[in-house]
């Protein structure tokens, strides 16, 4: 059934994935005359609740730190709480129960539970990713890690090595693959791939690297897509910025060795387009923009077959971006439809590939950017480049030529009541036309060189050589073949 299992790691990832799941939930149709263009079986699993009712829940495993789930309960309305062992059966003496006061759901969640019109959300009312979630999760999907606490000032979960060490400890004690992952994998008839949401600028990057290494051992032929998310770097100290830079470099080097596709995403720090109004201090806002791009880019993998058009699998998409096999890193850009009253095509473009960018290191290049692989996903928004208008089956692959695949859909991106109003040109609209561009190209090489030059000196001596060599090898894969003897490129390496 072409199932995709999702893995969510950390706060920012869960914020982004919550927007993703809310969007998937909006595609369900309930009238006999309506049919959704989306195959729900790809991301949703059928089950039975404790009362015998049928359930349809996300096929995902969610990890977060202590306190990271907010008011979300492991047991929801579809499942009854398991009977807890009586303290008297374990201890014959007097017992005193100490329970932490649970967080109260916000007005939005309360209105959803009551079946009334949801209360408007604001940055002050969204404290956790569960505050704007519109879906139920299976109890097995929710895994809270009690070793670290969210936003702790005494022991923050912020270093790459902390993540690798935590995974090693937990896996040795609980065998995470068997306990958390395998129950979802065994339900699949024909799993097409694994989708991973993880931040790469904190300790979750290390946790994800170790987790994906275990997944690769268990499922060596399964396609793994990693969305590497980065938090805004505004208003943080120089030491924090350096730490995030080192974490990002280590995460990219390790994840590219394990996953066939890694797509880093971060909002531009200074040149965010005027048509997007994002509060960088609100993960609800920043994750919304990134979720828009992710959901649009992966839309071809879950569309129902229509006529002669075949749905694209994650593996098929990955092959387009990584045609040679040594280019797992890809960039993503998003274009938003212009305002309805605009006189020209004043669409808004956002570049989420911020690795190695800024600080005067982006030099103009005389030669044009070379594309190795490209995937264009259009939701009622025409592509800017005329040469990409040919249908995929009409493009004959030629060795050495770029692999370009374009997918079109009349399904616009829905702007739900759980989604912040960050697009000014879409005010008052229920959906918006979107286009995304995933590509592997020669621009990535100088960006990785910049990251290598800035981050290698920030890690320990025991990891420095391996990190430097790994990033240099990665950058080499994105260079023009004919320029390998260039004095400029040799100096950069």
């Amino acid at each position: 059934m072409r199932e995709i299992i999702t893995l969510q790691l950390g706060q920012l990832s869960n914020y982004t994935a919550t927007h993703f799941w809310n969007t998937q939930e909006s595609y369900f149709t309930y009238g006999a005359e309506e049919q959704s263009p989306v195959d729900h079986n790809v991301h949703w699993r059928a089950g039975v609740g404790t009362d015998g009712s049928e359930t349809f829940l996300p096929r995902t495993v969610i990890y977060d730190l202590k306190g990271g789930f907010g008011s979300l309960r492991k047991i929801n309305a579809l499942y009854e709480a398991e009977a807890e062992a009586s303290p008297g059966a374990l201890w014959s003496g007097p017992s005193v129960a100490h329970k932490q006061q649970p967080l109260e759901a916000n007005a939005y969640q309360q209105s959803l539970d009551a079946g009334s019109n949801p209360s408007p959300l604001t940055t002050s009312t969204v404290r956790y990713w569960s505050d704007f979630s519109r879906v139920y999760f299976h109890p097995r999907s929710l895994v809270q890690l009690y070793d670290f606490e969210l936003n702790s000032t005494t022991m923050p979960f912020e270093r790459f090595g902390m993540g690798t060490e935590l995974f090693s400890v937990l896996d040795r004690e609980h065998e995470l693959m068997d306990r958390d992952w395998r129950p979802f994998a065994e339900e699949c008839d024909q799993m097409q791939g694994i989708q991973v949401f993880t931040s790469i600028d904190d300790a979750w990057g290390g946790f994800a690297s170790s987790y994906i290494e275990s997944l690769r051992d268990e499922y060596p032929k399964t396609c793994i897509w990693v969305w590497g998310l980065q938090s805004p770097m505004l208003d943080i100290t120089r030491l924090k910025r350096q730490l995030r830079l080192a974490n990002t470099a280590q995460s990219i080097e390790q994840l590219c060795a394990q996953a066939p596709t890694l797509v880093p995403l971060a909002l531009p720090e200074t040149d965010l387009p005027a048509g997007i109004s994002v509060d960088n201090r609100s993960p609800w806002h920043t994750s919304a923009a990134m979720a828009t791009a992710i959901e649009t880019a992966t839309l071809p993998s879950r569309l129902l077959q229509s006529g002669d058009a075949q749905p694209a699998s994650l593996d098929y998409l990955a092959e387009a971006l990584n045609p040679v096999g040594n280019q797992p890193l890809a960039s993503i850009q998003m274009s938003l439809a212009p305002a309805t009253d605009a006189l020209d095509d004043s669409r808004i473009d956002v570049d989420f590939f911020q690795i190695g960018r800024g600080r005067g290191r982006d030099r103009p290049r005389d030669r044009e950017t070379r594309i190795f692989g490209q995937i264009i996903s259009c939701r009622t928004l025409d592509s800017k480049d005329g040469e990409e208008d040919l249908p995929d089956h009409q493009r004959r692959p030629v060795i050495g030529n770029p692999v370009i695949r374009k997918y079109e859909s009349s399904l616009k991106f829905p702007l739900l009541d759980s989604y912040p109003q960050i697009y000014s040109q879409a005010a008052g609209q229920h959906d918006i036309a979107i286009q995304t561009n995933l590509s592997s190209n020669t621009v990535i090489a100088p960006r990785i060189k910049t990251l290598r030059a800035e981050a290698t000196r920030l890690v320990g001596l025991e990891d420095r050589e391996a990190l430097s060599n790994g990033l240099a090898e990665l950058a080499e894969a994105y260079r023009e073949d004919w320029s390998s003897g260039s004095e400029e490129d040799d100096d950069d390496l």
Side-chain angles (χ1 to χ4, degrees), residues 334-388:
M334 177 177 70
S335 297
L336 305 172
T340 54
D341 57 351
L343 298 178
D344 57 356
D345 187 12
S346 56
R347 64 180 66 184
I348 298 171
D349 299 322
V350 184
D351 185 1
F352 290 99
F353 191 77
Q354 299 297 309
I355 301 297
R357 185 175 182 177
R359 301 188 182 185
R361 297 301 299 268
D362 285 337
R363 297 176 296 181
R365 298 258 174 179
D366 294 332
R367 55 180 180 267
E368 295 182 356
T369 299
R370 179 187 172 187
I371 301 294
F372 301 108
Q374 186 177 50
I375 299 172
I376 302 171
S377 180
C378 302
R379 310 176 79 150
T380 67
L381 186 62
D382 294 332
S383 174
K384 290 183 177 180
D385 302 322
E387 70 171 3
E388 294 155 353

Side-chain angles (χ1 to χ4, degrees), residues 20 44-45 61 102 134 137 169 280 291 334 346 348 372 380 409 425 440 444 474:
F20 176 86
W44 299 75
R45 55 177 296 279
V61 184
R134 296 181 57 88
F137 295 100
V169 171
N280 283 314
M334 177 177 70
S346 56
I348 298 171
F372 301 108
T380 67
S409 174
Q425 77 276 28
S440 56
I444 294 178
L474 182 63

Side-chain angles (χ1 to χ4, degrees), residues 82 181 321 336 358:
E82 299 178 359
W181 184 265
L321 291 176
L336 305 172

